Amino acid sequence: CASGRYQLTLGNLLVVTVATKETDGFRRFMRSARHFNYTIKVLGRGEPWKGGDYMTEPGGGQKVRLLKAGLQEIEEDKVVLFIDSYDVVFASGPKELLKKFQQTRHKVVFSAETLIWPDRHLEDKHPHFREGKRFLGSGGFIGYVPNLKEMVADWTGEDSDSDQLFFTKIYINPEKRKSINITLDNRCRMFHNLHGSLDEVVLKFEDGQVRARNVLYDTLPVVIHGNGPTKLQINYLSNYIPTVWTFETGCSVCLEDLRPLSGLKESDYPLVVIGIFIQQPTPFVSVFFETLLKLEYPKNRLKLFIYNQEQHHEVAVSSFLKDHGEEYQDVKVIGPEENMDRVASRNLGLDMCRQDKDCEYFFSMDIEVVLKNKDTLKILIEQNEPIIAPMITREGRLWTNFWGALSADGYYARSEDYVDIVQGRRVGVWNVPYLTKVYLVKASLLHEELSNNDLFSSGTLDLDMAFCHNARNKGVFMYVTNMHTFGRMLSTENYQMSHLHNDLWQIFENPKDWEERYIHENYTKIMRDKLIETPCPDVYWFPLFSDIGCDHIVQEMENFGQWSGGRNTDTRIQGGYENVPTIDIHMTQINYEKEWQKLLLDYIAPITETMYPGYYTKAQFDLAFVVRYKPDEQPFLRPHHDASTFTINIALNQKVLDYQGGGCRFIRYNCSVEAPRKGWALMHPGRLTHYHEGLRTTAGTRYIAVSFVDP
């Protein structure tokens, strides 16, 4: 169809933008433009920054100057779409844009805004519309070349002057508006400026494509502009628009622009500085270092920066470095004696990478991170993003190491897709405003956008919020990926340090980690692989504790040290008299009775209910204790019944290696278990049928954990 003097075709349309530098936002803009086959002309490459929200955004006057000069080189029959780039995405293609432009029957069409800026005094001079937005937005306009030339012909301003004010004064001048034939896209058919209009926009998923729908005017704009303070919102929308993520295809760009590591020689792997931060008492610190060792990455291409603020964890750090420190290319340690604050330690970690000309990445990990995926570091590097985090969760909760949105005051807000991402219903690589606990930073950023030596300070914000705030303000995109399962986050709440092995008390706060540390690796296979043995009638034998679990219980008891004297008089029990005494320490004495009952409920009760059908235990007990047998102390235990419905007897150390002799004999059946396996539990009835005795220990020291369940 005709408009003015020209017959418009797709070849007539040229998109012109100004970009002094290739920022993350510019690359996103170009990706959406390429998707729809727009022809792009970029002005201003290499020019210095002259103003704007970010250090990489051109000044308003700079854009007008460059456009004025650039129009001289563009054919007269062209239609030019002039738009910002670093905060813009295309939601549709040139065919739809040209059609909507022609339907306006004007020669120049500007985007429209709800808010007037920068001069509110000009409000009354703006024309009124029967419906729609009244105020001009300079971040996007489309027009014929001759009309655009006329519009910018009188520009003589400075690069830092306001382009919006310049174009507004032209628009509110009736003579110029008529001469140039300008109007506004007041119902957002072509452009949508998000500032002041966030509530008008929803995502519309349709046939493998995603649009931004303006619900106020029921329109589908072609160009989406995150103008003003709406950068986070355009980042959110661009996680989907136009086909970045759809229900039909999932993530369509997650495998683009990768940095493959497969096939590289170890010496060619990127050098990474791993920053490890211990800022508070944390459970399972030794497990963290065991996991670090298992990372599938050449250790001679890793340097370690370890900041430890907790004296309590010095043993774990020192032990790791003593055994494995020389495997890494370099190690720097900041211990509690140096009294360095948290902010300074984070900046120093980044600086270790910044000052190393060979460093290509900084991988930041807080000590409470549990990485279960050995390929995490390689996966993040291959994704090739400026800053990227593996999504980790807190067991059984929606808590993760990223925020999908921010509140008005810069704190947590839940994005519409947060739950779907956390629960894996939407899988991809997501542009987000906040990361914490574990993330990878490209070293190139530390020399350019993030060259400031103090990135972890910003007013009253905590250090992670400050880092993300500073990254956002430099236009640096941060991503989180949930394309793989990476791991989880420990809870550090209620972590007490009053015991020798404090991790034993973590069965409530961190049950998954407690299980992996202390429960036998074959416990979950008991039923499937029929691992329950029956060495004597109605006596069941099955794996329960790991070797470390056994060792920690024994060491905890020996550290407590208040073993009973093995006498009948015992003030620890009701009535004060023990008929068949042992040398022991009760779980109540070390404040472990609640944790022990949870162990019985979670790991013993399911076995009980399977092996003794029809009986359902509440795992109550009056007596749960660790017994110590020694030839010169108490070598055996005379025949007796237990004051229980059933008894659990767990071997805590290894026959031959730790002691000789020992075992349990069930007298009625003349049946003995003489070689109890470390970590395995014997379960048997306590009263009436299973009269039994503890066999003599002839050498060494034997430990067992006994529970009289449901007395």
Side-chain angles (χ1 to χ4, degrees):
C1 73
S3 180
R5 293 173 288 169
Y6 306 116
Q7 181 77 24
L8 291 186
T9 65
L10 297 183
N12 289 106
L13 180 64
L14 178 65
V15 178
V16 177
T17 190
V18 173
T20 59
K21 183 180 178 181
E22 284 201 7
T23 64
D24 295 335
F26 176 78
R27 285 186 283 270
R28 174 182 63 192
F29 165 80
M30 291 299 291
R31 184 176 64 199
S32 70
R34 286 194 301 269
H35 176 79
F36 292 111
N37 295 315
Y38 281 99
T39 302
I40 307 289
K41 183 178 180 65
V42 180
L43 306 176
R45 287 187 185 274
E47 280 208 7
W49 169 72
K50 296 295 182 64
D53 290 344
Y54 295 133
M55 292 292 288
T56 50
E57 177 195 3
Q62 186 180 15
K63 290 189 285 187
V64 182
R65 171 177 60 79
L66 290 168
L67 174 63
K68 181 178 179 180
L71 286 171
Q72 304 307 313
E73 303 173 4
I74 300 174
E75 298 91 330
E76 294 282 308
D77 64 343
K78 293 288 187 183
V79 171
V80 167
L81 170 66
F82 187 73
I83 51 175
D84 289 345
S85 58
Y86 75 103
D87 55 0
V88 167
V89 292
F90 287 104
S92 188
K95 182 177 181 181
E96 179 179 336
L97 181 68
L98 281 176
K99 179 180 179 181
K100 289 179 174 179
F101 171 55
Q102 290 174 303
Q103 289 172 346
T104 67
R105 300 184 181 278
H106 286 75
K107 299 297 179 63
V108 176
V109 180
F110 273 86
S111 66
E113 297 195 31
T114 303
L115 307 174
I116 184 171
W117 183 85
D119 188 348
R120 294 183 179 179
H121 297 96
L122 301 178
E123 178 176 352
D124 292 341
K125 297 184 179 181
H126 282 73
H128 286 269
F129 291 95
R130 185 167 54 188
E131 179 186 29
K133 305 176 189 294
R134 289 180 58 204
F135 307 116
L136 176 145
S138 64
F141 54 87
I142 185 171
Y144 294 94
V145 168
N147 303 80
L148 296 179
K149 284 182 177 179
E150 180 183 352
M151 185 173 68
V152 299
D154 295 334
W155 172 260
T156 57
E158 300 294 327
D159 279 2
S160 58
D161 288 349
S162 170
D163 56 333
Q164 180 119 333
L165 184 60
F166 172 73
F167 290 128
T168 295
K169 287 181 176 179
I170 293 174
Y171 174 67
I172 62 177
N173 182 316
E175 293 180 359
K176 290 185 177 180
R177 184 170 69 246
K178 182 178 181 181
S179 171
I180 301 170
N181 197 0
I182 303 175
T183 190
L184 303 186
D185 179 35
N186 60 305
R187 295 180 67 251
C188 303
R189 299 182 71 243
M190 287 181 282
F191 305 96
H192 188 102
N193 294 310
L194 294 177
H195 186 34
S197 304
L198 286 173
D199 293 342
E200 298 174 13
V201 176
V202 297
L203 288 171
K204 183 176 188 292
F205 294 87
E206 55 175 25
D207 301 327
Q209 184 175 343
V210 186
R211 301 291 296 265
R213 176 172 172 252
N214 185 298
V215 295
L216 183 61
Y217 305 116
D218 195 22
T219 55
L220 296 172
V222 176
V223 176
I224 314 300
H225 182 198
N227 59 319
T230 63
K231 302 299 180 282
L232 302 187
Q233 288 75 20
I234 189 65
N235 290 350
Y236 168 77
L237 295 173
S238 64
N239 281 329
Y240 297 92
I241 297 171
T243 58
V244 175
W245 192 96
T246 70
F247 286 106
E248 291 82 2
T249 64
C251 181
S252 66
V253 301
C254 291
L255 300 180
E256 294 180 2
D257 302 321
L258 300 181
R259 179 180 182 173
L261 298 179
S262 59
L264 289 182
K265 296 186 297 184
E266 285 195 359
S267 58
D268 292 333
Y269 270 67
L271 180 66
V272 181
V273 171
I274 300 182
I276 299 163
F277 298 92
I278 309 173
Q279 300 180 153
Q280 60 192 343
T282 304
F284 304 108
V285 168
S286 57
V287 177
F288 174 92
F289 285 111
E290 290 169 13
T291 302
L292 180 66
L293 281 170
K294 295 175 183 176
L295 273 183
E296 291 287 346
Y297 203 89
K299 290 182 175 56
N300 61 359
R301 301 302 293 161
L302 296 175
K303 295 186 177 184
L304 301 183
F305 173 87
I306 302 176
Y307 168 73
N308 176 27
Q309 196 177 32
E310 289 296 328
Q311 187 68 44
H312 177 75
H313 295 313
E314 276 289 271
V315 173
V317 174
S318 299
S319 176
F320 167 74
L321 293 178
K322 178 183 177 183
D323 295 339
H324 303 286
E326 292 185 357
E327 298 174 32
Y328 296 89
Q329 189 178 124
D330 190 21
V331 178
K332 181 177 179 62
V333 181
I334 305 295
E337 72 282 353
E338 298 193 38
N339 241 359
M340 181 178 290
D341 66 55
R342 298 180 180 189
V343 169
S345 73
R346 300 281 176 159
N347 286 321
L348 187 62
L350 284 182
D351 215 39
M352 182 173 170
C353 178
R354 185 185 286 117
Q355 293 180 7
D356 187 335
K357 62 181 179 58
D358 296 322
C359 179
E360 293 192 52
Y361 295 93
F362 182 79
F363 188 39
S364 180
M365 295 177 67
D366 287 7
I367 199 70
E368 55 264 42
V369 171
V370 182
L371 283 185
K372 304 301 292 182
N373 191 326
K374 295 184 292 186
D375 293 317
T376 296
L377 182 54
K378 289 198 291 189
I379 290 169
L380 297 182
I381 290 173
E382 288 183 329
Q383 205 60 56
N384 201 24
E385 300 292 0
I387 301 177
I388 186 168
M391 188 187 81
I392 58 173
T393 60
R394 186 164 286 170
E395 190 74 14
R397 296 171 60 181
L398 286 174
W399 191 97
T400 66
N401 61 322
F402 78 95
W403 295 349
L406 296 183
S407 63
D409 55 358
Y411 288 85
Y412 171 80
R414 180 172 290 185
S415 60
E416 292 180 7
D417 57 1
Y418 179 82
V419 174
D420 282 344
I421 292 173
V422 174
Q423 296 182 342
R425 290 191 289 272
R426 300 185 187 185
V427 174
V429 179
W430 310 94
N431 189 329
V432 296
Y434 174 83
L435 301 170
T436 185
K437 304 302 181 185
V438 53
Y439 49 84
L440 184 74
V441 182
K442 277 188 176 180
S444 57
L445 293 174
L446 304 179
H447 299 287
E448 298 177 17
E449 292 91 341
L450 302 181
S451 59
N452 187 333
N453 289 327
D454 187 8
L455 291 171
F456 291 91
S457 297
S458 182
T460 60
L461 298 178
D462 70 30
L463 54 87
D464 285 323
M465 293 177 67
F467 175 75
C468 295
H469 171 80
N470 288 325
R472 293 194 305 269
N473 278 0
K474 295 297 184 181
V476 176
F477 288 175
M478 295 172 286
Y479 295 88
V480 65
T481 172
N482 66 338
M483 293 182 67
H484 305 263
T485 300
F486 292 102
R488 56 183 177 269
M489 169 73 64
L490 290 170
S491 169
T492 57
E493 300 165 11
N494 305 315
Y495 186 60
Q496 304 296 321
M497 296 190 296
S498 55
H499 304 281
L500 177 65
H501 293 296
N502 299 286
D503 297 348
L504 280 170
W505 276 258
Q506 287 294 300
I507 191 171
F508 289 105
E509 292 293 338
N510 294 290
K512 186 70 174 176
D513 301 271
W514 189 94
E515 177 180 300
E516 289 183 358
R517 188 65 164 168
Y518 292 128
I519 294 300
H520 198 286
E521 62 182 355
N522 289 329
Y523 175 83
T524 56
K525 306 173 186 175
I526 284 175
M527 297 304 177
R528 186 193 70 193
D529 295 349
K530 299 180 180 179
L531 296 181
I532 299 180
E533 299 181 19
T534 310
C536 299
D538 286 326
V539 176
Y540 300 104
W541 201 15
F542 53 90
L544 180 63
F545 276 134
S546 66
D547 279 1
I548 290 176
C550 295
D551 294 343
H552 282 193
I553 292 172
V554 169
Q555 291 164 13
E556 193 67 43
M557 292 303 183
E558 288 291 2
N559 182 67
F560 181 71
Q562 297 180 28
W563 295 95
S564 67
R567 292 181 293 271
N568 295 107
T569 301
D570 193 341
T571 58
R572 299 172 302 171
I573 63 175
Q574 188 175 3
Y577 184 84
E578 171 59 66
N579 188 42
V580 187
T582 54
I583 292 179
D584 56 47
I585 296 175
H586 290 189
M587 296 299 177
T588 54
Q589 291 178 262
I590 63 168
N591 299 315
Y592 201 65
E593 63 274 19
K594 292 180 181 177
E595 289 77 11
W596 195 258
Q597 186 183 27
K598 183 166 176 61
L599 165 76
L600 296 177
L601 278 170
D602 290 355
Y603 298 99
I604 299 299
I607 308 297
T608 305
E609 292 165 9
T610 299
M611 305 316 295
Y612 300 127
Y615 181 75
Y616 301 97
T617 179
K618 296 181 180 179
Q620 300 293 332
F621 62 87
D622 291 331
L623 292 176
F625 49 94
V626 170
V627 179
R628 182 173 74 184
Y629 290 111
K630 297 170 71 174
D632 58 352
E633 189 175 66
Q634 181 181 10
F636 65 91
L637 190 62
R638 66 181 175 84
H640 62 283
H641 284 297
D642 293 336
S644 66
T645 300
F646 69 94
T647 294
I648 298 297
N649 179 334
I650 308 163
L652 296 178
N653 57 346
Q654 188 69 50
K655 187 169 181 176
V656 178
L657 183 64
D658 300 314
Y659 64 90
Q660 299 290 337
C664 182
R665 176 173 175 259
F666 295 93
I667 297 168
R668 179 176 181 177
Y669 306 104
N670 192 26
C671 180
S672 298
V673 181
E674 295 185 358
R677 301 164 189 158
K678 183 177 180 180
W680 281 55
L682 281 174
M683 181 172 69
H684 60 83
R687 296 186 179 90
L688 194 61
T689 58
H690 282 65
Y691 193 57
H692 60 283
E693 63 180 328
L695 299 176
R696 181 179 294 273
T697 298
T698 58
T701 304
R702 178 186 175 215
Y703 298 92
I704 59 172
V706 178
S707 303
F708 295 163
V709 186
D710 296 342

